[in-house]
Amino acid sequence: MRSRPIGFLLATLAGAVLALGGTSAASASPPTAPAATASGDVGTADACYTWGGTLREGSSGEAVRQLQIRVAGYPGTGNQIAIDGVFGPATRAAVTRFQSAYGLAADGIAGPATFNKIYQLQDNDCTPVNFTYAELNRCNSDWSGGKVSAATARANALVTMWKLQAMRHALGDRPITVNGGFRSVSCNSAVGGAANSRHMYGHAADLGAGSQGFCGLAQAARNHGFTEILGPGYPGHNDHTHVAGGSGRFWSAPSCGI
């Protein structure tokens, strides 16, 4: 079973105790105090990352960058947002789409309700609850040997996972099978990958058909920040759907109308 965020577990325990009219050491003295926001609201503490203030267009810094990673899958059709720590119009639009997708007030301002939903969606290592680093790297254990540093490859894979989480939700929260992701140069060569494959940057994932089918995945990927989509009808991609981020855009899945 995947671990759940500390704040989510504490909130659940506290609610159960209050329902019984009692108290507990956990509800009286949580290990991590809630963070007061700049507007006076209180956000839930989280084991991965805790936002301490409301973010809106014009905000900047690490808190914004962390938010951008989580909403990277909501850029609008054919787009992607920059993970640059600057809360501009594109980030505001992505936050609005994220909020709408989860039934929140869709105002493009990230406050406690938005952050609490993110806390529910992420594990303690900051990956989304339905995807893991292990799925995105079947090449080696340390993310080394690619076209970028190990740290950059791993960071790119994290963004890819959040895009897949958004796509999964849009497809009815049905599981998405990830057959591979990051490759070192040697791993890429061993499987006959393209010389400029985005797998070597940590941007890419190869997806199994699952219940959505290869075309269903390829078509949905257009809406969730993937700038490279290759699927049925493109040479060598009749048995999987390839999605990736990165610069430029190349979509080709002729059998799927892409």
Side-chain angles (χ1 to χ4, degrees):
M1 181 181 292
R2 304 292 302 279
S3 58
R4 303 299 300 168
I6 290 173
F8 179 81
L9 295 173
L10 289 174
T12 303
L13 177 59
V17 171
L18 289 173
L20 294 172
T23 61
S24 72
S27 61
S29 303
T32 307
T37 68
S39 61
D41 296 318
V42 174
T44 304
D46 183 73
C48 163
Y49 185 86
T50 299
W51 284 269
T54 297
L55 300 175
R56 63 186 71 221
E57 192 167 350
S59 299
S60 62
E62 180 62 16
V64 173
R65 193 183 73 85
Q66 291 290 336
L67 173 64
Q68 289 170 328
I69 292 169
R70 276 63 167 190
V71 300
Y74 293 92
T77 302
N79 297 319
Q80 66 176 341
I81 66 169
I83 312 298
D84 59 4
V86 178
F87 199 128
T91 298
R92 184 181 190 277
V95 170
T96 301
R97 293 186 189 97
F98 172 87
Q99 292 167 329
S100 180
Y102 285 99
L104 306 176
D107 57 8
I109 299 171
T114 299
F115 298 139
N116 287 340
K117 173 52 66 175
I118 292 173
Y119 298 153
Q120 293 173 19
L121 292 172
Q122 70 184 7
D123 277 328
N124 293 344
D125 64 354
C126 301
T127 59
V129 292
N130 297 114
F131 299 94
T132 68
Y133 280 116
E135 288 176 290
L136 269 290
N137 182 358
R138 302 181 190 277
C139 172
N140 59 40
S141 62
D142 60 7
W143 300 82
S144 65
K147 293 285 191 178
V148 292
S149 70
T152 297
R154 195 172 189 271
N156 289 341
L158 181 62
V159 175
T160 298
M161 282 187 269
W162 280 100
K163 291 179 180 181
L164 290 172
Q165 185 71 31
M167 191 166 126
R168 184 185 192 276
H169 184 59
L171 289 169
D173 287 309
R174 289 177 289 167
I176 290 177
T177 301
V178 180
N179 293 327
F182 168 75
R183 299 173 189 159
S184 67
V185 173
S186 59
C187 284
N188 187 64
S189 178
V191 299
N196 61 344
S197 173
R198 297 190 188 184
H199 284 283
M200 294 183 288
Y201 296 82
H203 284 307
D206 289 338
L207 310 178
S211 61
Q212 303 91 342
F214 296 132
C215 284
L217 293 167
Q219 290 160 354
R222 296 173 296 182
N223 304 319
H224 297 288
F226 292 109
T227 57
E228 184 171 271
I229 304 168
L230 305 175
Y234 184 78
H237 289 74
N238 287 325
D239 61 352
H240 69 283
T241 293
H242 165 94
V243 295
S247 61
R249 190 171 90 181
F250 181 53
W251 294 352
S252 184
S255 299
C256 307
I258 298 173

